């Protein structure tokens, strides 16, 4: 089941430790009202480095951007200048990171489900 939670540690401290390091996005699964697809072909994606102390560095070629992150239970929030992007930590260990982001519906109406799941692999920096 795509929406199931598979945390390998229940505390934010353990999740923080599992995040520390460099990550490369492998694929993104997008779902909207019963239709889903997996995307593996990205033009250019930044290398993501989670650092201790709640710092997140994104690098693409020579450009770098510094963000902050906060972990609250199974939720990871990336923050930048007062704006936040919220993810549910589906899985985090020494090899893979799986994050789910719930998205707002595009169409009007009730009972709509839209989300994406991002899959990352740990790499050496």
């Amino acid at each position: 089941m795509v929406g199931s939670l598979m945390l390998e540690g229940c505390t934010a401290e353990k999740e923080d430790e599992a995040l520390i390091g460099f990550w490369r996005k492998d694929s993104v699964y997008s779902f909207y009202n019963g239709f889903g697809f997996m995307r593996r072909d990205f033009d250019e994606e930044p290398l993501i480095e989670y650092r201790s102390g709640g710092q997140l560095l994104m690098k693409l070629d020579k450009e770098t951007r510094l963000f902050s992150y906060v972990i609250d239970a199974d939720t990871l929030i990336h923050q930048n200048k007062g704006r936040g992007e919220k993810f549910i930590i589906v899985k985090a260990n020494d090899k893979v990171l799986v994050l789910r982001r719930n998205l707002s519906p595009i169409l009007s109406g009730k009972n709509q489900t839209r989300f994406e799941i991002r899959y990352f692999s740990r790499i050496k920096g």
Side-chain angles (χ1 to χ4, degrees):
M1 181 178 178
V2 172
S4 67
L5 192 63
M6 300 182 305
L7 292 177
E8 296 189 359
C10 296
T11 66
E13 191 174 294
K14 285 185 181 180
E15 292 303 321
D16 185 48
E17 290 173 14
L19 286 178
I20 303 300
F22 293 89
W23 299 92
R24 180 189 68 234
K25 188 187 305 181
D26 295 325
S27 59
V28 176
Y29 174 77
S30 297
F31 179 88
Y32 190 31
N33 291 341
F35 298 98
F37 66 93
M38 183 71 78
R39 212 175 87 213
R40 290 184 176 88
D41 57 335
F42 304 108
D43 292 333
E44 291 184 76
E45 284 293 317
L47 177 66
I48 297 172
E49 179 189 4
Y50 288 96
R51 297 176 170 181
S52 60
Q55 289 188 329
L56 167 63
L57 185 68
M58 292 188 179
K59 298 180 194 178
L60 183 60
D61 295 325
K62 294 181 182 181
E63 183 179 353
T64 60
R65 293 189 183 178
L66 187 62
F67 299 86
S68 62
Y69 71 90
V70 175
I71 297 175
D72 182 16
D74 66 344
T75 303
L76 170 66
I77 303 169
H78 292 173
Q79 298 173 326
N80 185 25
K81 299 179 183 175
R83 299 183 67 192
E85 192 172 31
K86 188 191 297 190
F87 300 92
I88 297 169
I89 302 170
V90 178
K91 186 171 187 174
N93 62 33
D94 62 338
K95 294 182 180 165
V96 298
L97 174 63
V98 182
L99 302 174
R100 175 184 167 137
R101 185 173 82 160
N102 293 322
L103 301 168
S104 300
I106 297 171
L107 306 171
S108 60
K110 295 181 181 182
N111 299 324
Q112 296 196 48
T113 304
R114 182 174 173 228
F115 63 86
E116 70 178 20
I117 300 177
R118 298 177 182 185
Y119 297 87
F120 298 86
S121 292
R122 184 180 297 275
I123 60 170
K124 294 186 181 199

